[in-house]
Amino acid sequence: MICLAVLVALAAAGGLVHLRSRPDRDPDPAAAAARAAAGLRGQDLASIRVSFLDPAGLDVTGDLTVARGGAASGTLADAGGGRAEFYASGDETSVRGDEAWWARRDAARVRALADHWVRTQRYAFPIHGSALRPAALADLIDWVRDDATTAGDADTVAGEPVVGLRRNDWTVLFSRARPHRLVWFGGPLRDGAPITSVPAGSPPSPAYVSALVAPAPGSPPVPRPPAGAVAQAEVAVRRPEFDVTVNAATCRTVTCTWSVTVRNTGTAPGEASVIASVSPGMPRTRVVSLGTLAPGATATTAKLSFANPAPTGRNVSADYRAQVFCPQRHGPNLTRMRRLQEAGILPERSGTLRALDPAPAATALLALDGMRKVPRLDPDRAVQAVEAAVRLGALPEVGDLVRAGRLENPEILYAELPGLTFEHGTAAATPANDRTGRRRRLQIAAAMLREDPAARVTIDAAGPGYRADLLVRSGSRTSAVQVRPVRGDAVSADLTEALTALRAGAPAGSTRVVVLHLDASAGFAHAAGREHFARLVKPVWCDGRARADEIVVMNQAGVQRWTGKDFADCG
């Protein structure tokens, strides 16, 4: 079986403890809603695990305590890596995030911001705390009750029996047990919704929220602002930066000469080595060390020469290529950057990549280096692919994939990175404004490499008679994995589709695994427990369609897993 720890990083598991009280076998949902709303209006604090998903690129879960006045504190966790302590009150937000958290949001200043309390330029969590305070949750319940239908398909959430109401794709669920309380709510953050994202208005592709609500808290800390937080814009970054000037003119002689001038425009000294080449004429790079340049200092290389490739009486356009390699910015591997330039890939020509902090800059170079194997490589497209990963906040998972050195086909990133939206399953209708992507598959692959030091992973693996989303080799074990994001409660349909893909082929002797991932767009199923999914998985398994050794469901309640022994009673 795939190690549970490999997958748990992508599932928002645990964290909320539910109280049990006298059961009410068949309560009226509207009456349960009224009692839950009244209970919330009497609370000073609400404890919430709230997940926000924008399919365009943001998937974050907050474990928050929200006070009556709207102040909120707790922790934020990004799917795929990155955590931050969090405080917000009104329009003021402070975080203390790790490097992965900042790499998604300010990749140019990661090390300066990480592990310090910082007042962020934008609201760090996309839902304002005032929308999650106890009275606001009571207002949400009342809004649903005003024009509600019964949510008859909702049965249990996080192991607790529930009843619920639904309005305009929004659902609120309440404990069947008395005193009835709000257990879960969720829906799309579009115009007219009871909760909106920050800034106001819906993204082009509707964002979603899914929230587990804990019982009335006993003694959680009241949200208080951290001491000593500094404004994000005021955090100083000290590192070298280089402007490069090519000194060349039209060459009409047998031998052409040129030079490169470098100026340190940054705020710290740095070692500067010019990587120089000309296409055509000087395809192999040459390296000229300029030593350490202080801020404001300028240096020029000696003359560089090459044989003029232009035939007599003809003009030939030449691309003079010069980049500065600086170990303080790019790490120690000068050879890698030379290799990229000789393949026509010049990351320092990209303003986005040139501005990266050292750690994400090293990730970008590794990703570009892995793409060199692509047939008919377009160097500009390779750079644009990594720029997309920066723009969409995907550098942490990309870093896990390339740093390990155990991604068997790193060239796949050339095609994967430009489409890093969160994909929806193929079994359910996709809204017109939603896009498909491959980000969840990349995150799961990265988690496998991160958690299993022996694992080697191939993404979109194909071989004689088989194709799999992921092929994972660890020791003597090989697993063919089909990953399916599930929209709504299309569990059975997505499971059947994934099993069909597995039946189409997997390497002989491999373990066949289906991973179903439910995010906040899945509605209440995002928080449903094992007993809910067992009722959906068992019929598919027992009717003979299952050609898998393991089925895994990942959602806010954690990771649930089934093997053949779980259905020994199929009959």
Side-chain angles (χ1 to χ4, degrees), residues 136-147:
L137 300 183
D139 291 341
L140 164 67
I141 294 172
D142 291 341
W143 177 84
V144 174
R145 287 175 60 211
D146 282 344
D147 188 18

Side-chain angles (χ1 to χ4, degrees), residues 36 92 173 219 254 259 289 309 375 378 458:
E92 182 176 305
L173 302 178
S219 57
V254 174
S259 64
S289 175
D378 180 339
T458 303

